Amino acid sequence: MSFRKTPGAAAVSMAMLALYALPVAAQTAPDAPVQTVEVSGIRASMAKSLSVKKDATANVEVITAEDVGKMPDKNLADSLQRLAGVAVRTDYDEAEKVAMRGTNPDMTLILFNGHTVSGGDWYFADQLSSSRSTSLSLMPSSVLNQALVYKTSQANIVDGGLAGTINVTTRKPLAQKERLGGMISTGVAYADLPGKAAPDMQATVNWKNEANTFGIIVQGFKEKRYVRRDSASRFAYVGGSGWDQIDLATMKGITDESLAGTGYKASDLQGVRIPGSMSTEFVESVRDRKGGMFSMQFKPNADLDMTMTGFHSGMKANNFGRLNAGAMFSMLRGRGGVQGGAAPTVGANGEQVFAQIKNPVIVEETTMYGHKLKVLKAADIVYANGVPPQYIGETEGAYRDGAEATSSFLDLDTKYRINQDLTVKSLFSITRGVGQTGRDQGLTYTRYGTGVSYRLGDLHDAPYVQYMGTGPNVPGRNPDGSGYVLTGRAASGVKTTDKEHSAQFDFEYALEKGMFQSLEAGVRYADHRRDSARRFPQMKTGALATNAPDSSNYIPFPSDFGDGLDGPAGWDNTSWTLTPETLKNYFNANYKPTTADWERRVSSELDMRERQTSTYLMANMESGKWSGNVGLRFVRTQVNALIPSPIPVGLCERTEPGKPAIPCAAVPGAITTASDGVQYYDGVPFPNRTGVMYYKTATSKTFNDWLPSVNVLYEMNDQMQVRFAANKTIGRQNYNILGAGYGTPTCTDSACTVTGPNPDLKPLNATNFDALWAWYFAPRSMVGVNVFYSDIDGYVKTGVAGSNRVDLFDSRDNQVKTFAVNSASNQGAKVRGIEIQYDQAIGDTPFGFTSNVSRAKTDVDDGRPLVGASEWAANVGAYFENEHVSARLVANYRSEYVNTSTAPPPNANSQGLVTINGQLMPTAPTMAAPVTTLAFNMSWYLNPKWVLTFDATNLTNVKRAYYRYSEEEQQKLDVSGRQYYLNLKYKF
């Protein structure tokens, strides 16, 4: 990063910093003159951050280590969300993934010390995802020295940040004031919803020799907290999840006779939107994060500076999910199979029976696309009098044992000044992240009764629900046929590995000729690999009842479940599930050891390699009040993938576990040793020619991109400046879009189609313009207005038939044919917005405030909202600080956004069309409603060495609400409780 230091600007910056100089040495910004500045406290950290922001050539936001210490932040995403134009994706009220300027997290590049960092995900569904967004749940905020958020790009910044780039730097030993110093912090974290406390500890030691030529920092952390989430949702199984519309052709119980007295005829309900289920979910988890970092710096003279930094963080996060679901869709369609499957419900005389709708309440909604639809807000979904208890839903428990994530990196950063004019820098790094779950294991019990009654209310309140004729809410079938029966089980594991090694060389040559002050040039190479594999343990028998638990090994939902959801009086918020030990014992007793190969599901594997090569040239300019840079970066991306491709059933012979692999003459690359879902139970012949097998198709694509950039800064005076930037950036497509497996091949006499990836899909490109006016009118105070515009080419459109073709087998005749791939394609999108920032120290008092608000309007070619994009984001905070105490209260706001996976499968229908009541309209995404959070931090300086800190997050215990076409269609409501942290810190 380049900085311009005019005498006036330098004087103002130094004055701001000197006002509040205290015992922590400031890090020198890259490429800036070496300076020793001592800062501490909220006011001093704000002065430092604003100074860096003001002097940077690019448009940046800044967080310093001292900022983090005075914020109620537990990881880096928590800290970054305080900045203008930054929003986060939150899981269990801990921020994890960062989005910038109205885009989704996949479009933000996060660097550590100038290189990418691989991180694993702790949650099963995220581990299966193939997003490029970096989870910061493994990165405690204490590792940060400084974070520079680049809102405008320049040629010497690593490519890949379409919307922006965040570079997090760690501490350097020789920048510390004391030869020997450090900090020890011990405390406790308390979560009020689970009602549990856990230890929270950190320690840092730094040492350097007397000559200040060699130093080392060692840091360790051990942070644990308990998590609980209570939810009311529409989740259920086949034919019963989410929202759909009433169809009289399949819901035959809806008749004029059944609606008598309601004022409606059956035809009035045709096409009316209806919730598919009424579900309550209860999840408990633990986040046990521990790890450390070291940094060694060697600087024998003013010309050579070498720093090696290593980091590792691991988090164990076993989680236990429980579900109680009423499946109204299946009831209305007369389906009573396992988990709402196609098998018919059966009446007393063997006839198929269909549920009826009683007491309907219908309202009209206006969808986000402007269509008028009707919604069934309340009803009784019941079977006719005299019909014996039928399938009405299910309850289950899923314990995810061995859930964990790790992230590590090691880098060597060297800077050598060859002579007065030429400086050479190098950066070598390796990074690896793993997310895995040993076994996701669960049992499902079908519930039998006579009906489900529901009533949806406000978006932020849990709905009323009652289950009818079910008998006692405990395991087991009752004499009248009501109750619960074990009908399903599932067990699988997953492991996703992400790793990269990279090398970078940069050169800076001092010109000082006219307006051209220096030239920078460099090259970079990175080799990135992404592998994901899912496995399914083999069971001894298909009989669910074998080794099944008895009815005594269950636990009920806690008595306070759903209290924070504000459910209506009388709603059924009770349920039960088996204990984790019971679930594990059941699967251990029924597990059949085979081989690792046999447990593979090749169809779900991801095997990617991506090599990035880039070079750049950039000129730094300065003339009077003008400064800036202009540059060009060339990027080559080579993508290789091994894509799972199906083989027709019976074409190849499957290999029995433990025996030598049987080659397949018809398909030489066939993977015959994997089960891919075929079951090999005890006492039955080996199924050697059943089920689909796969082979892997190799693809190789190369993409070239030229990325010009220009940044201009004009200082109107010592306090006021304007900036302008224009640049082109790239963002690479999610891995599954390029390398997921092919599935569901279908052939007719005229054509063959298959769902799958699109390896030809080029990287995203964005042409960006940015203009900023800023006035630094007093120490720790500024006001700024920033307008921006991005024109994106290559935004992914999933679920469409493109021009891509692949050769696969036609199962009808076992001949190789060309299949058209139903996959993803490119389309355009635009983002335009404004950011306003206002920070104000209130005179010479200990008080002050910070604030920012941003608006980003997005426009996608197909008219859908941009995934993960919030139009509005805002932050406001107030602080107080004197020599004895410092305190800060901060609020964050984020407006609604599409809450779906940032890596939807290439054949997803998230951008498809659906016909509702005769109207063709876009498929409804799941929208996250606006949310405001409040957090607090206070520090008491007991003496120069001892500090007592208190942090509280999610103080208002927000309910996170989700909906479909409009707020009339509530999809989910979550509450996770407040978190409190009390720590005693000793500095030496």
Side-chain angles (χ1 to χ4, degrees):
M1 179 176 179
S2 298
F3 293 85
R4 179 176 183 266
K5 286 281 190 180
T6 64
V12 172
S13 301
M14 292 299 292
M16 292 168 68
L17 292 167
L19 282 172
Y20 305 103
L22 284 171
V24 179
Q27 292 290 326
T28 302
D31 305 325
V34 176
Q35 49 184 313
T36 302
V37 183
E38 298 177 358
V39 298
S40 183
I42 296 174
R43 294 172 295 177
S45 66
M46 289 186 62
K48 180 179 179 181
S49 295
L50 290 180
S51 175
V52 175
K53 175 181 174 67
K54 181 181 179 182
D55 294 333
T57 304
N59 181 9
V60 301
E61 299 293 342
V62 186
I63 293 178
T64 68
E66 213 36 49
D67 281 318
V68 170
K70 307 304 177 186
M71 289 275 203
D73 302 335
K74 293 303 161 185
N75 68 35
L76 291 178
D78 281 328
S79 303
L80 292 166
Q81 70 176 322
R82 316 292 180 196
L83 299 176
V86 176
V88 297
R89 194 193 89 174
T90 300
D91 284 329
Y92 297 93
D93 283 303
E94 183 175 11
E96 289 202 6
K97 299 190 176 184
V98 178
M100 292 177 61
R101 289 188 160 180
T103 61
N104 69 61
D106 294 323
M107 299 180 182
T108 299
L109 178 64
I110 296 179
L111 307 173
F112 272 69
N113 296 332
H115 60 82
T116 59
V117 60
S118 295
D121 289 297
W122 67 270
Y123 183 57
F124 189 81
D126 289 332
Q127 291 165 355
L128 290 170
S129 174
S130 56
S131 166
R132 288 187 183 268
S133 57
T134 301
S135 173
L136 294 177
S137 61
L138 293 171
M139 310 296 179
S141 53
S142 58
V143 305
L144 175 144
N145 171 62
Q146 185 180 82
L148 288 176
V149 180
Y150 288 89
K151 295 181 177 179
T152 62
S153 188
Q154 54 193 40
N156 63 351
I157 296 177
V158 176
D159 48 87
L162 187 84
T165 300
I166 300 171
N167 185 30
V168 178
T169 60
T170 55
R171 294 179 176 89
K172 289 194 173 185
L174 299 184
Q176 309 308 306
K177 179 184 177 183
E178 304 292 340
R179 283 192 56 204
L180 178 63
M183 181 274 293
I184 298 174
S185 173
T186 182
V188 62
Y190 177 77
D192 70 349
L193 189 56
K196 294 181 179 180
D200 187 63
M201 296 179 288
Q202 298 179 27
T204 302
V205 177
N206 57 271
W207 171 88
K208 59 183 179 180
N209 62 11
E210 188 172 356
N212 204 42
T213 59
F214 178 76
I216 185 170
I217 290 178
V218 178
Q219 176 181 356
F221 53 87
K222 182 180 179 356
E223 302 168 333
K224 184 177 181 179
R225 70 185 184 100
Y226 291 93
V227 174
R228 172 177 151 185
R229 185 179 69 188
D230 295 359
S231 303
S233 75
R234 303 293 78 73
F235 181 82
Y237 287 103
V238 177
S241 188
W243 283 77
D244 208 330
Q245 53 270 1
I246 293 174
D247 181 4
L248 299 180
T250 59
M251 301 178 179
K252 298 179 181 180
I254 306 173
T255 64
D256 291 345
E257 291 77 14
S258 69
L259 291 167
T262 66
Y264 293 107
K265 294 183 177 180
S267 58
D268 297 329
L269 274 67
Q270 178 67 31
V272 172
R273 296 277 289 171
I274 178 175
S277 66
M278 285 289 130
S279 302
T280 48
E281 300 175 61
F282 172 46
V283 181
E284 287 182 303
S285 178
V286 62
R287 299 275 190 98
D288 191 357
R289 180 173 61 191
K290 61 184 69 173
M293 185 182 69
F294 77 89
S295 180
M296 295 188 297
Q297 186 178 9
F298 177 55
K299 190 176 181 180
N301 52 53
D303 297 326
L304 179 62
D305 189 348
M306 302 176 65
T307 303
M308 176 179 285
T309 303
F311 170 83
H312 175 78
S313 178
M315 183 166 67
K316 296 184 182 300
N318 286 357
N319 52 98
F320 185 23
R322 311 162 208 190
L323 169 74
N324 183 45
M328 289 108 72
F329 277 168
S330 296
M331 295 168 61
L332 289 169
R333 290 168 177 162
R335 294 179 177 177
V338 175
Q339 298 179 359
T345 47
V346 180
N349 299 315
E351 77 282 11
Q352 184 176 13
V353 292
F354 297 84
Q356 303 172 346
I357 293 180
K358 300 288 188 180
N359 304 315
V361 177
I362 299 175
V363 301
E364 187 175 73
E365 69 171 334
T366 301
T367 75
M368 65 179 67
Y369 301 110
H371 299 95
K372 299 289 186 180
L373 297 177
K374 293 180 179 179
V375 178
L376 190 65
K377 290 286 284 188
D380 299 331
I381 312 298
V382 296
Y383 293 99
N385 292 334
V387 173
Q390 301 290 322
Y391 169 79
I392 65 168
E394 57 272 314
T395 187
E396 73 165 20
Y399 184 66
R400 300 174 183 97
D401 198 15
E404 59 181 301
T406 62
S407 179
S408 306
F409 69 79
L410 179 67
D411 62 52
L412 176 62
D413 186 358
T414 302
K415 181 178 179 179
Y416 178 58
R417 187 173 66 179
I418 296 176
N419 54 44
Q420 186 174 353
D421 297 325
L422 182 60
T423 300
V424 179
K425 292 180 286 186
S426 66
L427 176 62
F428 300 93
S429 71
I430 55 175
T431 179
R432 185 175 187 267
V434 177
Q436 62 183 341
T437 296
R439 186 184 290 174
D440 175 19
Q441 54 210 325
L443 294 178
T444 300
Y445 285 76
T446 291
R447 192 176 195 181
Y448 293 87
T450 57
V452 180
S453 176
Y454 78 91
R455 182 175 66 251
L456 292 172
D458 182 76
L459 178 67
H460 289 86
D461 292 329
Y464 174 87
V465 59
Q466 277 291 333
Y467 300 96
M468 305 175 186
T470 62
N473 194 14
V474 295
R477 196 80 178 263
N478 302 306
D480 65 353
S482 65
Y484 297 88
V485 176
L486 176 62
T487 55
R489 69 182 179 193
S492 66
V494 64
K495 182 177 181 179
T496 297
T497 303
D498 189 270
K499 56 187 177 181
E500 178 178 295
H501 64 263
S502 65
Q504 179 174 330
F505 296 91
D506 299 276
F507 307 86
E508 183 171 7
Y509 183 72
L511 285 177
E512 298 184 0
K513 294 182 178 180
M515 66 181 299
F516 293 98
Q517 296 298 299
S518 65
L519 287 176
E520 293 185 47
V523 295
R524 181 179 184 270
Y525 174 79
D527 192 342
H528 196 107
R529 294 179 182 268
R530 176 86 169 202
D531 302 299
S532 182
R534 193 172 182 183
R535 64 175 187 84
F536 289 73
Q538 174 68 54
M539 297 289 106
K540 294 177 181 177
T541 174
L544 298 179
T546 302
N547 299 311
D550 61 42
S551 60
S552 64
N553 295 316
Y554 74 94
I555 49 178
F557 276 24
S559 59
D560 64 347
F561 172 81
D563 286 357
L565 297 174
D566 293 332
W571 75 305
D572 190 348
N573 62 341
T574 62
S575 190
W576 60 270
T577 191
L578 301 172
T579 65
E581 292 74 19
T582 300
L583 290 171
K584 291 193 290 184
N585 290 339
Y586 173 85
F587 284 96
N588 288 337
N590 287 291
Y591 175 66
K592 177 180 180 178
T594 52
T595 64
D597 269 352
W598 179 256
E599 294 184 356
R600 289 173 64 185
R601 288 284 175 95
V602 178
S603 59
S604 65
E605 291 180 354
L606 191 73
D607 192 345
M608 303 283 300
R609 183 184 185 188
E610 184 176 87
R611 285 164 288 181
Q612 306 163 8
T613 307
S614 59
T615 183
Y616 73 90
L617 179 66
M618 186 176 81
N620 296 305
M621 303 171 293
E622 182 177 346
S623 179
K625 294 185 177 183
W626 294 90
S627 62
N629 59 56
V630 59
L632 180 65
R633 188 178 187 93
F634 171 74
V635 180
R636 170 167 291 178
T637 306
Q638 297 170 274
V639 181
N640 298 92
L642 295 175
I643 302 174
S645 304
I647 301 170
V649 174
L651 185 60
C652 299
E653 183 176 358
R654 199 177 299 275
T655 303
E656 188 173 349
K659 294 187 177 180
I662 300 173
C664 179
V667 187
I671 302 171
T672 65
T673 55
S675 68
D676 265 297
V678 170
Q679 298 300 312
Y680 177 29
Y681 296 129
D682 287 346
V684 299
F686 178 69
N688 62 336
R689 289 197 178 266
T690 60
V692 179
M693 294 185 191
Y694 292 82
Y695 68 101
K696 291 199 173 182
T697 303
T699 65
S700 180
K701 301 295 177 181
T702 299
F703 306 98
N704 297 322
D705 293 277
W706 294 90
L707 309 177
S709 63
V710 58
N711 290 273
V712 177
L713 166 65
Y714 176 71
E715 291 195 357
M716 304 172 68
N717 53 48
D718 288 344
Q719 295 181 328
M720 196 175 298
Q721 59 182 217
V722 293
R723 299 173 181 271
F724 172 78
N727 54 71
K728 188 175 182 180
T729 54
I730 70 166
R732 297 177 173 90
Q733 303 290 352
N734 284 321
Y735 301 104
N736 63 339
I737 297 294
L738 303 172
Y742 295 108
T744 60
T746 303
C747 287
T748 65
D749 291 338
S750 58
C752 293
T753 60
V754 66
T755 62
N758 185 355
D760 293 327
L761 211 61
K762 64 181 181 181
L764 295 83
N765 282 266
T767 302
N768 312 293
F769 300 95
D770 193 279
L772 168 70
W773 169 82
W775 180 25
Y776 299 85
F777 56 88
R780 310 184 309 281
S781 305
M782 67 89 65
V783 61
V785 179
N786 189 187
V787 294
F788 57 89
Y789 174 81
S790 293
D791 189 346
I792 301 172
D793 178 28
Y795 180 64
V796 69
K797 181 179 178 67
T798 58
V800 295
S803 59
N804 218 30
R805 299 290 185 269
V806 64
D807 289 336
L808 298 173
F809 285 89
D810 180 356
S811 59
R812 299 177 306 169
D813 54 16
N814 288 338
Q815 298 296 311
V816 175
K817 296 181 181 178
T818 299
F819 284 67
V821 182
N822 179 25
S823 182
S825 64
N826 289 123
Q827 62 177 324
K830 295 178 175 59
V831 183
R832 59 188 185 278
I834 184 171
E835 298 168 351
I836 301 174
Q837 181 176 355
Y838 177 31
D839 298 342
Q840 173 75 69
I842 302 177
D844 294 327
T845 72
F847 295 95
F849 67 84
T850 61
S851 63
N852 60 72
V853 61
S854 63
R855 186 186 188 192
K857 291 285 289 183
T858 61
D859 181 15
V860 181
D861 284 355
D862 64 6
R864 274 64 162 184
L866 196 72
V867 172
S870 286
E871 181 177 347
W872 291 94
N875 301 274
V876 61
Y879 64 86
F880 170 88
E881 182 179 58
N882 60 25
E883 63 272 21
H884 302 296
V885 65
S886 70
R888 178 175 288 189
L889 184 69
V890 291
N892 292 87
Y893 170 80
R894 182 178 184 183
S895 66
E896 65 271 8
Y897 61 96
V898 177
N899 183 61
T900 187
S901 168
T902 55
N907 60 328
N909 194 36
S910 59
Q911 292 161 313
L913 297 173
V914 63
T915 299
I916 301 177
N917 208 11
Q919 298 185 75
L920 185 65
M921 62 184 66
T923 301
T926 298
M927 301 294 298
V931 63
T932 301
T933 59
L934 188 66
F936 176 73
N937 164 270
M938 180 171 283
S939 299
W940 291 270
Y941 305 103
L942 306 178
N943 59 46
K945 292 185 178 294
W946 292 93
V947 181
L948 183 66
T949 66
F950 172 75
D951 299 278
T953 61
N954 192 28
L955 276 171
T956 54
N957 193 21
V958 298
K959 292 181 286 185
R960 297 181 182 272
Y962 307 86
Y963 61 92
R964 297 298 294 275
Y965 274 126
S966 77
E967 292 188 1
E968 297 293 344
E969 298 188 17
Q970 185 192 62
Q971 178 69 12
K972 192 175 184 182
L973 188 68
D974 288 341
V975 64
S976 296
R978 302 170 182 88
Q979 306 282 338
Y980 303 100
Y981 304 86
L982 183 66
N983 291 83
L984 182 63
K985 299 180 181 180
Y986 174 70
K987 299 180 180 180
F988 61 92

